[in-house]
């Protein structure tokens, strides 16, 4: 007899079903929405199980933890592939979803597939210079502070198009889209306002052909608001606690002091 699904498998299944339902409600194809499983509060065992459930996109908001995690998980992944375990994805993509400090760019780049939180010209230039050195392109997204919270990372709404244009003009950076976050505890209308505003900027970029064929992603929506984000056009949702459970200790989630 088949074993009943684990708690993790059941939560993943529920998240996938909610993504599909939200997409259908918005008359969108659910396959347009990529789930990035945010592993910052997950245990190694949980991440390994998630791989066997076919999740290929993993996200971390801190470079140090991303590097540690990626070293362990990528090695496990290679072993599963060598053992021809069919259910594991062919490739893992690590997403850097938090604020990236310029002094960590060199360490992060070899491991990550996509950087969601580019929010300054200086950071983009550092990334470009490093990609030039290694000869490897990198997909980047511009983080927009569409909720206009002073403590939040991200470029101001009014500066987004200009900065996007500069990043899109850089030789090694593939300007892939925009990332945003609604306010913590936002109501539906507050969250949808923030997501809708970010989508409007995205449409403006598309209209002006900024980013060209690479421009295709809106990274928005977390455990508490991903269905609203999908309604507003999200193509990537970043989900942690709805998959892994709420963290036991509520940790201060802010960045380390900024060194740049
Ligand atoms: C932690 C985090 C998430 C996931 O948050 P949950 O509410 O646990 O789903 C998404 N995006 C970023 C940038 C994060 O830091």
């Amino acid at each position: 007899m088949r074993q009943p699904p684990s708690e993790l498998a059941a939560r993943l299944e529920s998240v996938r079903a909610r993504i599909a339902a939200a997409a259908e409600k918005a008359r969108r194809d659910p396959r347009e929405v990529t789930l990035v499983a945010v592993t910052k509060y997950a245990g190694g065992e949980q991440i390994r199980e998630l791989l066997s459930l076919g999740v290929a996109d993993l996200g971390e908001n801190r470079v140090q933890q991303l590097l540690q995690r990626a070293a362990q998980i990528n090695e496990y992944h290679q072993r599963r592939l060598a053992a021809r375990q069919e259910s594991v994805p062919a490739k893992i993509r690590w997403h850097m979803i938090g604020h990236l400090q310029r002094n960590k760019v060199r360490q992060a780049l070899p491991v990550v597939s996509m950087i969601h939180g580019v929010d300054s010209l200086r950071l983009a230039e550092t990334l470009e210079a490093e990609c030039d050195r290694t000869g490897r392109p990198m997909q980047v997204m511009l983080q927009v502070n569409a909720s206009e919270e002073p403590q939040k990372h991200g470029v101001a709404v009014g500066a987004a198009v200009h900065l996007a244009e500069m990043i899109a003009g850089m030789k090694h950076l593939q300007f892939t889209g925009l990332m945003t976050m609604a306010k913590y505890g936002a109501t539906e209308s507050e969250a949808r306002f923030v997501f809708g505003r970010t989508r409007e900027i995205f449409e403006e970029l598309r209209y002006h052909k900024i980013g060209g064929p690479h421009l295709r992603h809106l990274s928005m929506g977390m455990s508490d608001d991903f269905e609203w984000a999908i309604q507003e056009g999200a193509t990537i949702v970043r989900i942690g606690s709805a998959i892994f459970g709420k963290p036991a200790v509520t940790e201060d989630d802010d960045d380390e002091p900024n060194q740049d």
Side-chain angles (χ1 to χ4, degrees):
M1 242 178 55
R2 286 189 64 196
Q3 284 194 344
S6 71
E7 210 178 308
L8 182 72
R11 278 197 298 252
L12 174 67
E13 200 39 54
S14 154
V15 166
R16 282 174 164 163
R18 287 169 62 193
I19 289 172
E24 268 150 32
K25 193 169 163 196
R27 299 176 189 283
R28 299 181 54 204
D29 184 341
R31 286 171 302 186
E32 284 174 22
V33 183
T34 299
L35 166 65
V36 172
V38 177
T39 53
K40 65 187 177 203
Y41 301 128
E45 185 55 44
Q46 289 181 304
I47 307 174
R48 289 192 287 275
E49 185 181 349
L50 215 59
L51 287 185
S52 72
L53 296 166
V55 174
D57 290 275
L58 302 173
E60 283 283 344
N61 67 335
R62 292 185 183 183
V63 171
Q64 225 48 50
Q65 183 154 325
L66 188 151
L67 295 175
Q68 282 169 11
R69 281 279 156 83
Q72 294 162 358
I73 297 296
N74 292 353
E75 200 245 358
Y76 171 82
H77 179 241
Q78 287 307 315
R79 277 191 276 128
R80 297 324 302 159
L81 283 182
R84 298 186 186 278
Q85 197 199 41
E86 303 276 317
S87 58
V88 302
K91 194 177 184 306
I92 303 181
R93 286 179 294 270
W94 287 95
H95 297 250
M96 177 59 198
I97 61 173
H99 178 68
L100 177 58
Q101 289 173 239
R102 290 190 306 133
N103 61 1
K104 300 209 172 128
V105 161
R106 187 162 288 192
Q107 281 178 291
L109 277 185
V111 181
V112 303
S113 295
M114 203 184 270
I115 297 173
H116 293 226
V118 176
D119 61 356
S120 72
L121 184 59
R122 266 161 44 108
L123 174 58
E125 285 171 343
T126 304
L127 287 165
E128 169 64 16
E130 185 61 14
C131 288
D132 185 38
R133 195 181 69 85
T134 61
R136 186 170 173 253
M138 179 53 57
Q139 298 192 351
V140 299
M141 281 192 263
L142 179 63
Q143 181 172 355
V144 183
N145 183 1
S147 62
E148 294 181 325
E149 292 164 89
Q151 74 278 18
K152 206 168 239 169
H153 290 294
V155 62
V157 169
V161 172
H162 182 59
L163 185 51
E165 194 170 12
M166 289 200 277
I167 296 172
M170 293 182 186
K171 190 164 164 231
H172 298 85
L173 300 188
Q174 299 180 347
F175 178 66
T176 308
L178 303 175
M179 183 272 222
T180 202
M181 284 159 104
K183 209 159 70 186
Y184 181 76
T187 63
E188 174 169 0
S189 63
E190 287 166 344
R192 290 187 69 154
F193 176 77
V194 165
F195 298 144
R197 201 176 199 191
T198 307
R199 190 199 53 225
E200 282 165 18
I201 302 169
F202 182 86
E203 281 163 4
E204 195 177 335
L205 297 176
R206 182 161 273 176
Y207 178 80
H208 292 293
K209 300 195 164 51
I210 293 168
H214 295 299
L215 183 76
R216 63 181 190 283
H217 281 310
L218 274 168
S219 168
M220 50 192 203
M222 316 188 354
S223 291
D224 290 337
D225 55 23
F226 69 89
E227 283 142 314
W228 301 329
I230 291 168
Q231 298 275 295
E232 296 296 336
T235 64
I236 297 180
V237 291
R238 310 175 310 268
I239 299 182
S241 48
I243 297 173
F244 297 108
K246 292 267 181 214
V249 268
T250 36
E251 195 190 318
D252 176 19
D253 196 24
D254 267 356
D255 290 321
E256 308 125 59
N258 222 330
Q259 284 156 23
D260 50 22

